[in-house]
Amino acid sequence: MGGEYGTEANEEHRASMHGGKFRHIYVESRVLGLERTERMLARFPEAEVIEIRHYKDIFNRRRQDPAVQHKSQNLIIAAKEGRLVYPGAPVCQSFGNAHFFYTSCVMNCVFDCEYCYLKGMYPSGNLVIFVNLEDIFKEIRGLLSQFPVYLCVSYDTDLMAVEGLTGYVEEWARFVRDNPGLSIEVRTKSPRLCTEAIREAAPEDGRVIYALTLSPDEVIHSCEHGTGTLEGRLRAAQSFMDAGFPVRLCFDPMIYMPGWEEVYGRMIRRASEMIDFSRVRDFSVGSFRISETYLKPMRRVLPRAAVVQYPFELTGGYYHYPAALADRMELFMEYEIRLRAEDAEIFRWEE
Amino acid sequence: MIFIFTALVPEAEPLIQEFSLKRTGGGSAFQQFANEEQGMLLTITGTGPVRAAAAVGAVLGKVSPDEVTLVLNFGSCAAVHGGMPEGGETPLYLIQKLTNMESGRQWYPDLLTGSCLPEAELLTGSRLYTGDEMREDRGIPALSHVLLYDMEGAAFFEAANLFVGPHRIHVLKFVTDSGDTGRVTPDTVRRAAEAALPRAAEYLRLVMGEDCCGKYAMKSFTANGEEAERMTAVKISSDADAPLDEDALARGLCASRMMRAQLHQLILYADLAGLKWRGRVRQWTEKGVYPAKDRRTGKQLLAELKGMVQGVQCDDKRR
């Protein structure tokens, strides 16, 4: 299963999962027999396939424990309904784009980062894949008829991590190519390299942005379970760069730990050894922050995770590190980036 | 604690023997058997969904959800589609989906263990199964491999889910008939339960062994990536017999309620992250400022501790 999700790190975590991922796959009746559904089911011939009426019958059950479920994650295949494209969240970076949106063709993530807001936002740790991409595309075309759109397609998930299962990054790339005015960001922690299929599907004008979240190995090992190592992610970034994609490096979220300067300094030194920073499209820098609404449930499901039990400060509905510390961390990172790329475009999240 | 619910005495008897359960007193409306040492309570609900739900409510309503490790419904059922015993062996099924035939509502246990038990769907009705329950308009769901019928399962699950999550609720069923209920006697049920018991016991061991309450075991991280030392209670020289914990520290700081709340989060994080906060308290003691003489001093010490734990340096200023 490691190859399926392009992960190298956290072998111990993957091995501890009960019997591996997707031993049970729940499929809505209305998507049974569809090509995307069948293609995904074919990847798991040993799975128990259970027919359901609606994905919320599984995803929204009472008193679930997302942390426990994540250790033995199941898959739900469904059709998305209602509003399919949403305005970008204030806590997220818009990179200067006026019309910033996001969409979720996959809910939840195969990775298991302890600080991830999904643990507070979703009642379940199971993965939901929506197969009605065409409905999402239709809604986006409606927006595009009014203004250009900057769309984040890998927010509530990691699309590259499941590309082998879904092929959605390729489909998105093709959709962008066919729709001028649309730019997308594909955010990931996966070490999965750029594929020929993705490269051929994407437009050549840089409207598909590959955004890699970088963390020190100490943070990856401690709390980004199942994700790629720093080196693995950097190799992936290089592969996308070589394929002609604009690459964004995201040092966000930065996680505090005693000795963080040394840790992050080591990380950025390694990153700049493997990646030519002058070729990076832009950088995103931000210390950890999270909506007040999400932190309480996260602390409940992860009572022993230091990263979410940190004594944050609360401002305007968001928990964050003390302002002085957050500034210090972000300015440190900004300085380190500029040391290596004087003219780098760096985006910091501002309230 | 493990809470087991069966509808019938013959279903319960093998469990009672296997786990050395003793009849309890207590005036419950339901027969109950317990083994306190094993942390197990078995309740015989009687037949039908109402009895099942009532029993679950009566039992789980008296305990805190945190006390509940596992809730299990173990019992007999009829085979609707597939599921009949073959070659003399009584199969034991792990139920993956339950349907209340009256309401049409469906329930899904969290199937998180690597169990080798075959899985099945379960329909629950309020009458004995005769085959008429599956009229043409109901039909067999497209993906059903094995479809079973009983009179308690869905009600049991729905009631249990009011108290605990789906990862703690398990339903195991063994087949006794396919609608020819005239041939089902207490003896046949008991024998089928006895035959299914070893696999049920193995399943319980599997579930318990894998810690279905699994929370992340925290590795505190430090700059060199090594797991930080965890300090448990440390004695302070000025109070050699009393270990320092959060309560003691709160008293030593003359903490108000708000200070205590703040202190709780600081100490929780500090312990998880392996920060040596007790060393700081030792320094205060040596300087003679701890225990604090008043709340004002306590607040100052708390602010100092907060800075240390949060990692905010004294010369940090917001630019």
Side-chain angles (χ1 to χ4, degrees), chain B residues 250-270:
Chain B
R251 285 193 301 274
L253 295 178
C254 306
S256 64
R257 209 175 192 176
M258 198 175 292
M259 287 168 70
R260 275 187 179 258
Q262 208 178 81
L263 185 65
H264 171 73
Q265 199 61 42
L266 287 175
I267 298 304
L268 174 61
Y269 171 75

Side-chain angles (χ1 to χ4, degrees), chain A residues 254-271:
Chain A
M254 294 180 71
I255 301 295
Y256 168 75
M257 67 178 72
W260 62 269
E261 282 191 21
E262 186 188 330
V263 166
Y264 276 89
R266 214 163 35 230
M267 178 202 69
I268 199 161
R269 275 195 299 279
R270 188 66 188 126

Side-chain angles (χ1 to χ4, degrees), chain B residues 253-255 259 292-303:
Chain B
L253 295 178
C254 306
M259 287 168 70
K293 62 178 189 231
D294 52 33
R295 184 164 290 168
R296 185 163 169 271
T297 309
K299 277 187 179 175
Q300 288 169 350
L301 294 177
L302 181 59

